[in-house]
Amino acid sequence: TKLILLDSLLQEIRMVCGPNNPGMELDLAWIQQVRVNLPAVKRRADTLTTKRTVKQQWQAGWLLRAVTCIDLTTLAGDDTPSNTARLALKAAKPIRPDLIKAMDAEGLNITCGAVCVYPSRVKETVQFLNKYGASQIPVAAVATGFPSGQYSLDTRLQEIKMAVAAGAREIDIVINRTLALQHNWEELYNEVVEMKKACGDAHMKSILAIGELATMENVYKASLVCMMAGSDFIKTSTGKEGVNATLPVGLVMCRAIREYFEKTGFIVGFKPAGGIRTAKDAMAWLILIKEELGDDWLNNQLFRIGASGLLTDIERQLFHWVTGRYAAAHELAMS
């Protein structure tokens, strides 16, 4: 029946090895030879969602996969323990149990990929996840002077260490965009290397803040520099810039990941963030990953989506697929 997902789709939501990037020496010659054909990038991005469609039970399967890749995020100035408690519970149980049962997906143990908060909220978020029986979900902390990065390096490194000490297993650092705009790649590389050391065993995601890098070539070059410095993930945006995650930018960053993998054999994850609000948006990003990086990246070990409101729309679409009608706002738990 339409309520039973294909076994192959269910099996693809699986545990895989995560990123593997020890980094390398800065290769300025490689960076300097970067060229980006902007019309070709836009043409490729425009056709990604027109050449591939996913419908019916396959769409439900893909949306469940998207849920497992979400870094459920709250980065507001008025965050309180009640906000993080609600977020932790929603990450642990992102989809209504009756919908999961109707899709025959109870055995998948669907949870979000991580919970992303400010460093000051890390400790309580870890406690809430433990309380709700979801200690396997990592807490990610934005750090290094998020979102601007306009702080001294010592301050930024100390913030990383404090977040890790509080229990963060992933650190989303922001790069110094001034250095990227000035093409001071050596200093940028050195800073990111120091941040990676400060992370210890925690995974490090490097936020490029692409809306402030001016050109696609800068985006590609900054991606390479961060990967050479040992970043486990590269991430599009803080969500606070005027331009955040767009498919053309995602395409450029995925091509950088692919080239880096082909030349070094090192695996780096990818995280778009900012402005991804609908199930349709999530599907477009999944298609991009499948087309550009392949199925090996199509999991929460190597692909994350930074979002706050996205989960509600995905749950709403799954509700419609199961029941044939759209849920009212009060029928779905807030995230």
Side-chain angles (χ1 to χ4, degrees):
T1 68
K2 77 169 190 174
L3 299 182
I4 300 177
L5 298 174
L6 294 182
D7 288 342
S8 60
L9 281 173
L10 300 185
Q11 291 168 1
E12 286 177 1
I13 302 176
R14 62 193 188 277
M15 290 297 294
V16 297
C17 60
N20 172 30
N21 182 30
M24 57 177 283
E25 293 295 322
L26 179 65
D27 188 342
L28 288 174
W30 182 359
I31 293 166
Q32 295 304 329
Q33 69 183 12
V34 167
R35 298 293 183 271
V36 176
N37 185 332
L38 189 56
V41 168
K42 291 180 177 179
R43 184 166 59 248
R44 171 64 171 154
D46 288 343
T47 59
L48 273 171
T49 56
T50 61
K51 290 185 176 180
R52 182 186 291 273
T53 58
V54 185
K55 300 294 184 183
Q56 298 181 353
Q57 70 264 40
W58 293 277
Q59 184 180 68
W62 276 50
L63 290 178
L64 285 178
R65 183 198 304 275
V67 170
T68 69
C69 295
I70 292 175
D71 279 6
L72 200 58
T73 302
T74 182
L75 297 171
D78 58 356
D79 281 341
T80 63
S82 62
N83 288 23
T84 51
R86 187 181 72 238
L87 204 72
L89 181 57
K90 188 64 176 177
K93 301 180 185 297
I95 306 296
R96 277 178 33 168
D98 59 321
L99 300 180
I100 291 291
K101 184 176 181 180
M103 291 184 286
D104 196 26
E106 294 167 296
L108 294 177
N109 298 318
I110 298 291
T111 67
C112 289
V115 177
C116 185
V117 294
Y118 277 115
S120 61
R121 308 249 74 96
V122 168
K123 185 176 181 179
E124 68 194 34
T125 305
V126 171
Q127 293 171 344
F128 287 130
L129 287 170
N130 290 337
K131 176 182 177 181
Y132 300 135
S135 59
Q136 78 280 9
I137 300 175
V139 174
V142 295
T144 66
F146 180 94
S148 69
Q150 296 285 359
Y151 295 80
S152 70
L153 181 59
D154 288 342
T155 300
R156 287 179 281 157
L157 295 177
Q158 186 62 29
E159 189 176 26
I160 292 173
K161 294 173 184 176
M162 291 173 67
V164 172
R169 284 151 51 190
E170 299 178 359
I171 302 294
D172 290 25
I173 63 108
V174 289
I175 69 166
N176 186 328
R177 278 83 88 188
T178 300
L179 297 179
L181 291 170
Q182 294 174 338
H183 292 186
N184 190 345
W185 303 119
E186 187 169 2
E187 187 172 347
L188 178 60
Y189 171 85
N190 291 335
E191 283 197 356
V192 178
V193 166
E194 290 301 311
M195 292 174 187
K196 176 66 174 177
K197 291 178 182 176
C199 287
D201 293 333
H203 278 171
M204 185 178 79
K205 308 190 198 90
S206 292
I207 307 173
L208 304 188
I210 55 89
E212 296 176 352
L213 291 185
T215 70
M216 287 292 193
E217 287 189 2
N218 282 346
V219 170
Y220 199 108
K221 290 176 180 180
S223 298
L224 288 178
V225 170
C226 289
M227 290 187 287
M228 291 176 185
S231 297
D232 297 296
F233 273 69
I234 53 174
K235 177 178 172 182
T236 60
S237 319
T238 65
K240 310 294 186 182
E241 295 89 49
V243 178
N244 294 290
T246 66
L247 285 179
V249 165
L251 175 61
V252 168
M253 293 177 69
C254 285
R255 290 288 176 94
I257 290 171
R258 194 167 78 188
E259 183 186 13
Y260 184 77
F261 172 69
E262 289 170 351
K263 286 194 175 184
T264 67
F266 301 149
I267 299 170
V268 177
F270 175 59
K271 178 180 175 180
I276 305 174
R277 298 185 178 90
T278 68
K280 184 178 180 180
D281 293 338
M283 294 290 289
W285 285 100
L286 288 172
I287 289 170
L288 171 65
I289 297 302
K290 184 174 180 66
E291 291 283 325
E292 291 296 324
L293 295 175
D295 290 344
D296 288 343
W297 264 262
L298 209 55
N299 56 75
N300 64 12
Q301 300 300 304
L302 293 173
F303 175 61
R304 298 285 183 80
I305 301 173
S308 52
L310 171 63
L311 180 55
T312 300
D313 192 63
I314 289 178
E315 190 174 16
R316 185 167 176 264
Q317 297 301 324
L318 291 172
F319 185 99
H320 178 268
W321 187 72
V322 169
T323 67
R325 68 178 181 87
Y326 285 106
H330 68 271
E331 293 181 274
L332 302 175
M334 293 174 62
S335 60

